[in-house]
Amino acid sequence: MLIEQVDPHGHVVLRHRFAAAGTECTVGRDLGCDIVVDDEHAAPRHALLVLQEDGRVNVRDLGTKNGTRVDGKRVPADTGAILERGEVIVGRTRLRIRTRHVPLGPERVFRRDFLTRHRTLLAVTGVAACMAFGAFLQWLDAPSSLPASVTKGALVAFGIIALWTAGWTLMAKLNRGSWNVRVHAAIGAIAAAFCAWGYWVAGLVAFAAQWSFLVRIGIAVVVSTAFVALYGHLREATHYGRRVSLALAGAVTLVIGVIVWVATIGVDESDVNRVALGPDVRLGARRVVPNRDTADYLTEVDALRLAAGRERQKSLLNAPLADAED
Amino acid sequence: MVKSGLLIAALWLCGFASVAAAQATEKPAEPVAESPPEPAPEKQAPDAEADAVDEDALDAAAVEADIVAQELSDEAKDRLDAARESVVQIRGFFEGSASSAFHGSGFAVDDGRRIVTNYHVVAQAVLFPRQYRLEYLASDGRTGPLQVLAIDVRNDLAIVAAAELELPPLRLRSEIPAQGERAWSIGYPLNLGLTITEGVANGLVENSIEQRIHYTGAINGGMSGGPALDRRGHVYGVNVSVVTGRQLVGFVVPAKHIAPLLARAKGPLVESLSAEQLRQRVTAQVLAYEAEVLEAAPEADGTQKVRGFTLPTKLSRHLECSTFDERSPHVRMRVETVSCQMPSRVLAQPGVYVAGLSVQHRIAQSTGLHPLQFERQVNDLAAGPRRAGAAPHVAPFACRDALVSLDGFDARVSTCVRQYRLFAGLYDFDVTVVGIDDPAEALVSRLTLQGVSFDIGRRTMERYLGALQWTR
């Protein structure tokens, strides 16, 4: 029987091992106990653990007010509980118990996933791609002082990634004791670069194929990427399991998504001066769809009479005319 | 360019008391239908007159210049005295309120029972009959309710009457005064009391679509609808608007438009029609005007050739164009602009101007920009500037864009249409054409129609797209 006393953070602070069948182990504040706990919620003599002949452990409560719990359930005063492995709680102290009945798997082979293995390459590539995008945006504006603007763009991109990475590495250091700078830089930078350059490429495709809805797909992709990145960061920087990480990443993405949606699309809808010109033009670019001729296009424009009428109805419904009948 | 700019900057003179305090006094080039400043604290009594000067006391041998000056100012006094009884202040009140919401002037004509004023003075009461009521204030202090009998939106005129009000009518003169003829304008500027201003008539405004007489003399908010008098004291027109931020450039509607309107002024208009019908009537008058004006064929070929592009400029005969080399912030790109617009528009409702048509062609040429950089500039040109429109007046745009084969080049054409909230028959069109063939040269062209019928908008669009051409 192996008994490990665990602190609130899950770290083992004491370890006891008993081998002889029939060994009795008392737990409590009394210095005469076999396991002395410094816990004001525990009784001087609180519980008794007996290693049975069959290798299992019998846990008994010694008539305390707070009782003893095994895996969350209170131990019956008369019979006690028998277990092969589990967590015994005395007062607020957790004791992890393992017996020889617990089957042991083969040793876990050292395995480093793709991200960890290539973290240097990925981090450098991601950061470089982000900086390149920042510089590219500046260059596109054809500024009068090109070197200064381009440098500024690249540095701003670097600064954002650096801040983001710093936050996550700090969290990793606090939770797991290691900084993991390259891993977090890789996750953040690759995700950001993917979104930024993806947005640019999506613009090209949107024009070539005349797909206005590609913008919406683009938003969905950005949101998904953010979700994946957040999940990655959480897994690397905290002790949270898969489910908690997924839930947290999902919740954060949802909240950010709703805020962005309300701030942009939600408000713009009612703007009477908002014109949708379509995807940005690409001059001399290849196009997938054939052109319309003027007559066809004008027929399409006829549909705008109805559409404009619908907008007016909506507008009158939202904000009736000053003298409208109540 | 300057000329059309001036007219568009014309300030319609109806004074809006409610907004007066909130708005700054100086609003150059803002076509708002109001903005008189706060009345000066040392405001004079409405009927205060200058002390009469005893002419006989003057020596006949006095300096000639003095005599001339004396005669001039006396003439103003005579004009005012003769017209005083005929001129009223027209005030609008919001629901049961005792303080006025807006005010203008008016004068008695015909049998003295009917009063002429501007449409824009009474527009709120016509369009929102359940919210606004009109009252007159005569020079002798009498007040009473007014009814609207007839409106002429395109000439900005209205006939109103009160049940028991009979005033000495002013005589109308239908000829346009000769340029340089002495003239006077009477009204209630800025709610300061009855006032006469002296100036000269400068003949018809050359580029105005509807006839307007250019009056060089002071006209201020609140004088709208007041009479413009000639030497004999006859009314040659009605004060209507002024150019803000300039000096003494006022406009007067010729009196010859009053007679046809009087003939139509049979009975109370507002009482006999529902609000919806009144709005339809205003819309119908606007549409009749547009049918004449917006599709008036130009005398010659209405296009202009710039850098191989054939650009429709005179979509209507009345459009006035200017061509200039627009300074671009980028030295490696040049933009040549041809811009055309209507010299005047029609006020349908205070703050809402309709029957507007403008077209702007910009030919952008890269002189060393990378194609991607040039593309960015072209997209920026197409997106800006922000469209004008206020949420109380118009609904949001509905848009449709496509790549269209035009004559000699391919273009992305984006059309946006929105309907007016108050006037269901009126639409705004915003058509943007961007040439997409050449990575170093692009046409960015925009057609804008304000407050037109859908059919006129579509037909104008068809003529516009049909006329665009590029021969390389």
Side-chain angles (χ1 to χ4, degrees), chain A residues 141-185:
Chain A
D141 271 340
S144 43
S145 65
L146 189 67
S149 301
V150 165
T151 314
K152 190 179 82 184
L155 287 181
V156 166
F158 180 79
I160 293 170
I161 295 295
L163 272 177
W164 180 260
T165 309
W168 285 108
T169 50
L170 191 65
M171 200 182 280
K173 177 68 181 168
L174 290 175
N175 282 317
R176 302 175 65 147
S178 58
W179 291 102
N180 272 342
V181 178
R182 281 168 294 172
V183 169
H184 288 290

Short mmCIF file of all heavy atoms in Angstrom, two decimals, chain A residues 141-185:
data_model
loop_
_atom_site.label_atom_id
_atom_site.label_comp_id
_atom_site.label_asym_id
_atom_site.label_seq_id
_atom_site.Cartn_x
_atom_site.Cartn_y
_atom_site.Cartn_z
N ASP A 141 0.39 50.64 -48.69
CA ASP A 141 -0.08 52.02 -48.66
C ASP A 141 0.83 52.96 -49.43
O ASP A 141 0.53 54.14 -49.53
CB ASP A 141 -0.17 52.50 -47.20
CG ASP A 141 -1.54 52.19 -46.63
OD1 ASP A 141 -2.46 51.99 -47.44
OD2 ASP A 141 -1.69 52.16 -45.41
N ALA A 142 1.90 52.43 -49.99
CA ALA A 142 2.88 53.22 -50.74
C ALA A 142 3.27 54.47 -49.96
O ALA A 142 3.02 55.60 -50.39
CB ALA A 142 2.31 53.60 -52.10
N PRO A 143 3.85 54.29 -48.78
CA PRO A 143 4.17 55.47 -47.95
C PRO A 143 5.33 56.25 -48.55
O PRO A 143 6.11 55.71 -49.35
CB PRO A 143 4.57 54.84 -46.62
CG PRO A 143 5.08 53.49 -46.97
CD PRO A 143 4.33 53.04 -48.19
N SER A 144 5.45 57.50 -48.12
CA SER A 144 6.51 58.32 -48.69
C SER A 144 7.88 57.89 -48.15
O SER A 144 8.86 57.92 -48.86
CB SER A 144 6.25 59.79 -48.39
OG SER A 144 5.82 59.93 -47.06
N SER A 145 7.93 57.49 -46.87
CA SER A 145 9.21 57.00 -46.36
C SER A 145 9.07 55.50 -46.11
O SER A 145 8.64 55.06 -45.05
CB SER A 145 9.60 57.72 -45.08
OG SER A 145 8.67 57.42 -44.08
N LEU A 146 9.41 54.73 -47.14
CA LEU A 146 9.17 53.29 -47.11
C LEU A 146 9.90 52.57 -45.98
O LEU A 146 9.27 51.83 -45.22
CB LEU A 146 9.52 52.69 -48.48
CG LEU A 146 9.12 51.23 -48.65
CD1 LEU A 146 7.61 51.11 -48.66
CD2 LEU A 146 9.70 50.66 -49.93
N PRO A 147 11.22 52.78 -45.80
CA PRO A 147 11.93 52.00 -44.76
C PRO A 147 11.34 52.22 -43.37
O PRO A 147 11.12 51.27 -42.62
CB PRO A 147 13.36 52.54 -44.83
CG PRO A 147 13.48 53.17 -46.17
CD PRO A 147 12.13 53.68 -46.52
N ALA A 148 11.03 53.47 -43.04
CA ALA A 148 10.50 53.75 -41.71
C ALA A 148 9.15 53.07 -41.51
O ALA A 148 8.92 52.42 -40.48
CB ALA A 148 10.36 55.25 -41.53
N SER A 149 8.28 53.18 -42.51
CA SER A 149 6.94 52.60 -42.38
C SER A 149 7.00 51.08 -42.27
O SER A 149 6.30 50.47 -41.45
CB SER A 149 6.07 52.99 -43.56
OG SER A 149 5.97 54.36 -43.64
N VAL A 150 7.82 50.49 -43.13
CA VAL A 150 7.91 49.03 -43.15
C VAL A 150 8.47 48.53 -41.81
O VAL A 150 7.95 47.56 -41.23
CB VAL A 150 8.78 48.57 -44.34
CG1 VAL A 150 9.18 47.13 -44.19
CG2 VAL A 150 8.00 48.77 -45.64
N THR A 151 9.49 49.21 -41.32
CA THR A 151 10.05 48.81 -40.03
C THR A 151 9.01 48.93 -38.94
O THR A 151 8.87 48.05 -38.09
CB THR A 151 11.26 49.73 -39.68
OG1 THR A 151 12.07 49.83 -40.84
CG2 THR A 151 12.05 49.17 -38.54
N LYS A 152 8.27 50.02 -39.00
CA LYS A 152 7.24 50.23 -37.99
C LYS A 152 6.22 49.09 -38.02
O LYS A 152 5.88 48.51 -36.98
CB LYS A 152 6.54 51.57 -38.23
CG LYS A 152 5.62 51.98 -37.10
CD LYS A 152 4.98 53.33 -37.38
CE LYS A 152 3.77 53.16 -38.28
NZ LYS A 152 3.16 54.42 -38.67
N GLY A 153 5.76 48.75 -39.24
CA GLY A 153 4.78 47.67 -39.39
C GLY A 153 5.28 46.37 -38.80
O GLY A 153 4.58 45.67 -38.06
N ALA A 154 6.54 46.03 -39.14
CA ALA A 154 7.12 44.77 -38.69
C ALA A 154 7.25 44.77 -37.16
O ALA A 154 6.93 43.79 -36.49
CB ALA A 154 8.48 44.56 -39.34
N LEU A 155 7.69 45.90 -36.62
CA LEU A 155 7.89 45.97 -35.17
C LEU A 155 6.57 45.90 -34.41
O LEU A 155 6.49 45.29 -33.35
CB LEU A 155 8.65 47.25 -34.80
CG LEU A 155 10.14 47.22 -35.17
CD1 LEU A 155 10.82 48.51 -34.76
CD2 LEU A 155 10.83 46.02 -34.51
N VAL A 156 5.55 46.54 -34.96
CA VAL A 156 4.24 46.48 -34.30
C VAL A 156 3.76 45.02 -34.24
O VAL A 156 3.31 44.53 -33.19
CB VAL A 156 3.22 47.38 -35.03
CG1 VAL A 156 1.81 47.06 -34.58
CG2 VAL A 156 3.53 48.84 -34.77
N ALA A 157 3.90 44.31 -35.38
CA ALA A 157 3.49 42.91 -35.42
C ALA A 157 4.29 42.11 -34.39
O ALA A 157 3.73 41.29 -33.62
CB ALA A 157 3.70 42.34 -36.82
N PHE A 158 5.62 42.36 -34.35
CA PHE A 158 6.47 41.64 -33.41
C PHE A 158 6.03 41.94 -31.98
O PHE A 158 5.94 41.04 -31.14
CB PHE A 158 7.93 42.07 -33.62
CG PHE A 158 8.88 41.38 -32.69
CD1 PHE A 158 9.28 40.07 -32.95
CD2 PHE A 158 9.36 42.01 -31.55
CE1 PHE A 158 10.14 39.41 -32.09
CE2 PHE A 158 10.21 41.36 -30.68
CZ PHE A 158 10.61 40.06 -30.95
N GLY A 159 5.73 43.20 -31.72
CA GLY A 159 5.33 43.61 -30.37
C GLY A 159 4.06 42.89 -29.92
O GLY A 159 3.97 42.42 -28.78
N ILE A 160 3.10 42.80 -30.83
CA ILE A 160 1.84 42.15 -30.46
C ILE A 160 2.09 40.68 -30.11
O ILE A 160 1.62 40.16 -29.10
CB ILE A 160 0.82 42.29 -31.61
CG1 ILE A 160 0.42 43.76 -31.78
CG2 ILE A 160 -0.42 41.44 -31.34
CD1 ILE A 160 -0.39 44.06 -33.01
N ILE A 161 2.86 40.01 -30.99
CA ILE A 161 3.15 38.59 -30.75
C ILE A 161 3.93 38.43 -29.44
O ILE A 161 3.67 37.52 -28.64
CB ILE A 161 3.95 38.00 -31.94
CG1 ILE A 161 3.10 38.00 -33.20
CG2 ILE A 161 4.44 36.58 -31.63
CD1 ILE A 161 1.89 37.12 -33.15
N ALA A 162 4.87 39.35 -29.20
CA ALA A 162 5.70 39.26 -28.00
C ALA A 162 4.84 39.39 -26.74
O ALA A 162 4.99 38.61 -25.79
CB ALA A 162 6.78 40.35 -28.03
N LEU A 163 3.92 40.34 -26.76
CA LEU A 163 3.05 40.53 -25.60
C LEU A 163 2.20 39.28 -25.34
O LEU A 163 2.05 38.82 -24.21
CB LEU A 163 2.13 41.73 -25.84
CG LEU A 163 2.69 43.09 -25.43
CD1 LEU A 163 1.70 44.18 -25.79
CD2 LEU A 163 2.95 43.11 -23.93
N TRP A 164 1.63 38.78 -26.42
CA TRP A 164 0.77 37.60 -26.34
C TRP A 164 1.56 36.42 -25.76
O TRP A 164 1.12 35.73 -24.84
CB TRP A 164 0.25 37.29 -27.74
CG TRP A 164 -0.65 36.10 -27.84
CD1 TRP A 164 -0.32 34.86 -28.26
CD2 TRP A 164 -2.04 36.04 -27.50
NE1 TRP A 164 -1.39 34.02 -28.22
CE2 TRP A 164 -2.47 34.72 -27.75
CE3 TRP A 164 -2.96 36.96 -27.02
CZ2 TRP A 164 -3.79 34.31 -27.54
CZ3 TRP A 164 -4.27 36.55 -26.80
CH2 TRP A 164 -4.66 35.24 -27.06
N THR A 165 2.75 36.19 -26.34
CA THR A 165 3.59 35.09 -25.88
C THR A 165 3.98 35.27 -24.42
O THR A 165 3.95 34.32 -23.62
CB THR A 165 4.86 35.00 -26.75
OG1 THR A 165 4.45 34.98 -28.11
CG2 THR A 165 5.67 33.76 -26.46
N ALA A 166 4.31 36.51 -24.05
CA ALA A 166 4.74 36.78 -22.68
C ALA A 166 3.66 36.37 -21.69
O ALA A 166 3.93 35.75 -20.66
CB ALA A 166 5.08 38.26 -22.54
N GLY A 167 2.42 36.71 -22.01
CA GLY A 167 1.30 36.36 -21.12
C GLY A 167 1.21 34.87 -20.89
O GLY A 167 1.12 34.39 -19.76
N TRP A 168 1.28 34.12 -21.99
CA TRP A 168 1.13 32.67 -21.88
C TRP A 168 2.34 32.01 -21.22
O TRP A 168 2.20 31.04 -20.48
CB TRP A 168 0.87 32.05 -23.25
CG TRP A 168 -0.54 32.29 -23.71
CD1 TRP A 168 -0.95 33.13 -24.69
CD2 TRP A 168 -1.72 31.70 -23.17
NE1 TRP A 168 -2.31 33.12 -24.80
CE2 TRP A 168 -2.82 32.25 -23.88
CE3 TRP A 168 -1.98 30.78 -22.16
CZ2 TRP A 168 -4.14 31.89 -23.62
CZ3 TRP A 168 -3.30 30.43 -21.90
CH2 TRP A 168 -4.36 30.98 -22.62
N THR A 169 3.54 32.52 -21.52
CA THR A 169 4.72 31.90 -20.90
C THR A 169 4.72 32.14 -19.39
O THR A 169 5.09 31.26 -18.62
CB THR A 169 6.03 32.47 -21.49
OG1 THR A 169 5.95 33.88 -21.46
CG2 THR A 169 6.26 32.00 -22.89
N LEU A 170 4.24 33.31 -19.01
CA LEU A 170 4.16 33.60 -17.58
C LEU A 170 3.21 32.61 -16.90
O LEU A 170 3.49 32.06 -15.83
CB LEU A 170 3.68 35.04 -17.38
CG LEU A 170 3.80 35.57 -15.96
CD1 LEU A 170 5.26 35.65 -15.56
CD2 LEU A 170 3.14 36.94 -15.84
N MET A 171 2.08 32.38 -17.59
CA MET A 171 1.11 31.44 -17.04
C MET A 171 1.72 30.03 -16.95
O MET A 171 1.53 29.30 -15.98
CB MET A 171 -0.13 31.42 -17.92
CG MET A 171 -1.36 30.88 -17.21
SD MET A 171 -2.76 30.84 -18.28
CE MET A 171 -3.28 32.51 -18.25
N ALA A 172 2.48 29.66 -17.99
CA ALA A 172 3.12 28.35 -18.00
C ALA A 172 4.13 28.23 -16.86
O ALA A 172 4.20 27.21 -16.17
CB ALA A 172 3.83 28.13 -19.35
N LYS A 173 4.88 29.29 -16.62
CA LYS A 173 5.89 29.26 -15.57
C LYS A 173 5.22 29.08 -14.20
O LYS A 173 5.66 28.28 -13.38
CB LYS A 173 6.68 30.59 -15.61
CG LYS A 173 7.72 30.72 -14.51
CD LYS A 173 8.85 29.73 -14.72
CE LYS A 173 9.89 29.86 -13.61
NZ LYS A 173 10.84 28.75 -13.63
N LEU A 174 4.11 29.80 -14.00
CA LEU A 174 3.41 29.72 -12.72
C LEU A 174 2.78 28.35 -12.52
O LEU A 174 2.80 27.79 -11.43
CB LEU A 174 2.33 30.80 -12.64
CG LEU A 174 2.85 32.23 -12.53
CD1 LEU A 174 1.70 33.22 -12.58
CD2 LEU A 174 3.63 32.40 -11.23
N ASN A 175 2.20 27.81 -13.57
CA ASN A 175 1.46 26.55 -13.45
C ASN A 175 2.34 25.32 -13.54
O ASN A 175 2.10 24.33 -12.87
CB ASN A 175 0.39 26.47 -14.53
CG ASN A 175 -0.81 27.32 -14.16
OD1 ASN A 175 -1.24 27.31 -13.01
ND2 ASN A 175 -1.32 28.06 -15.12
N ARG A 176 3.30 25.38 -14.45
CA ARG A 176 4.04 24.15 -14.74
C ARG A 176 5.53 24.27 -14.49
O ARG A 176 6.26 23.32 -14.69
CB ARG A 176 3.79 23.72 -16.19
CG ARG A 176 2.30 23.52 -16.41
CD ARG A 176 1.98 23.21 -17.83
NE ARG A 176 2.54 21.94 -18.25
CZ ARG A 176 1.96 21.14 -19.14
NH1 ARG A 176 0.81 21.47 -19.66
NH2 ARG A 176 2.53 20.04 -19.49
N GLY A 177 5.96 25.43 -14.11
CA GLY A 177 7.35 25.60 -13.73
C GLY A 177 8.31 25.82 -14.87
O GLY A 177 9.50 26.02 -14.64
N SER A 178 7.84 25.76 -16.11
CA SER A 178 8.76 26.02 -17.22
C SER A 178 8.18 27.09 -18.13
O SER A 178 6.96 27.22 -18.24
CB SER A 178 9.00 24.73 -18.01
OG SER A 178 7.77 24.27 -18.49
N TRP A 179 9.05 27.87 -18.77
CA TRP A 179 8.56 29.01 -19.56
C TRP A 179 7.92 28.59 -20.87
O TRP A 179 6.93 29.15 -21.29
CB TRP A 179 9.73 29.97 -19.86
CG TRP A 179 10.23 30.68 -18.64
CD1 TRP A 179 11.35 30.39 -17.93
CD2 TRP A 179 9.64 31.81 -17.99
NE1 TRP A 179 11.50 31.24 -16.87
CE2 TRP A 179 10.45 32.13 -16.88
CE3 TRP A 179 8.50 32.57 -18.22
CZ2 TRP A 179 10.16 33.20 -16.03
CZ3 TRP A 179 8.22 33.62 -17.38
CH2 TRP A 179 9.03 33.92 -16.30
N ASN A 180 8.53 27.64 -21.54
CA ASN A 180 8.00 27.18 -22.83
C ASN A 180 7.82 28.31 -23.85
O ASN A 180 6.83 28.36 -24.56
CB ASN A 180 6.64 26.50 -22.65
CG ASN A 180 6.81 25.04 -22.35
OD1 ASN A 180 7.89 24.48 -22.60
ND2 ASN A 180 5.79 24.41 -21.81
N VAL A 181 8.79 29.21 -23.90
CA VAL A 181 8.65 30.41 -24.75
C VAL A 181 8.40 30.04 -26.20
O VAL A 181 7.47 30.53 -26.84
CB VAL A 181 9.91 31.29 -24.64
CG1 VAL A 181 9.79 32.49 -25.56
CG2 VAL A 181 10.12 31.74 -23.21
N ARG A 182 9.23 29.12 -26.72
CA ARG A 182 9.14 28.83 -28.15
C ARG A 182 7.81 28.19 -28.50
O ARG A 182 7.23 28.46 -29.55
CB ARG A 182 10.31 27.94 -28.58
CG ARG A 182 11.59 28.71 -28.76
CD ARG A 182 12.76 27.80 -28.90
NE ARG A 182 13.01 27.05 -27.65
CZ ARG A 182 13.88 26.08 -27.54
NH1 ARG A 182 14.59 25.70 -28.59
NH2 ARG A 182 14.07 25.46 -26.39
N VAL A 183 7.31 27.33 -27.61
CA VAL A 183 6.03 26.67 -27.90
C VAL A 183 4.91 27.70 -28.00
O VAL A 183 4.12 27.72 -28.94
CB VAL A 183 5.70 25.62 -26.81
CG1 VAL A 183 4.27 25.14 -26.97
CG2 VAL A 183 6.67 24.46 -26.90
N HIS A 184 4.85 28.59 -27.03
CA HIS A 184 3.77 29.58 -27.05
C HIS A 184 3.94 30.59 -28.18
O HIS A 184 2.96 31.01 -28.80
CB HIS A 184 3.67 30.28 -25.69
CG HIS A 184 3.11 29.39 -24.63
ND1 HIS A 184 1.79 29.00 -24.64
CD2 HIS A 184 3.69 28.75 -23.59
CE1 HIS A 184 1.58 28.18 -23.62
NE2 HIS A 184 2.73 28.00 -22.96
N ALA A 185 5.18 30.96 -28.44
CA ALA A 185 5.42 31.87 -29.57
C ALA A 185 4.97 31.21 -30.86
O ALA A 185 4.34 31.83 -31.72
CB ALA A 185 6.89 32.24 -29.66
#
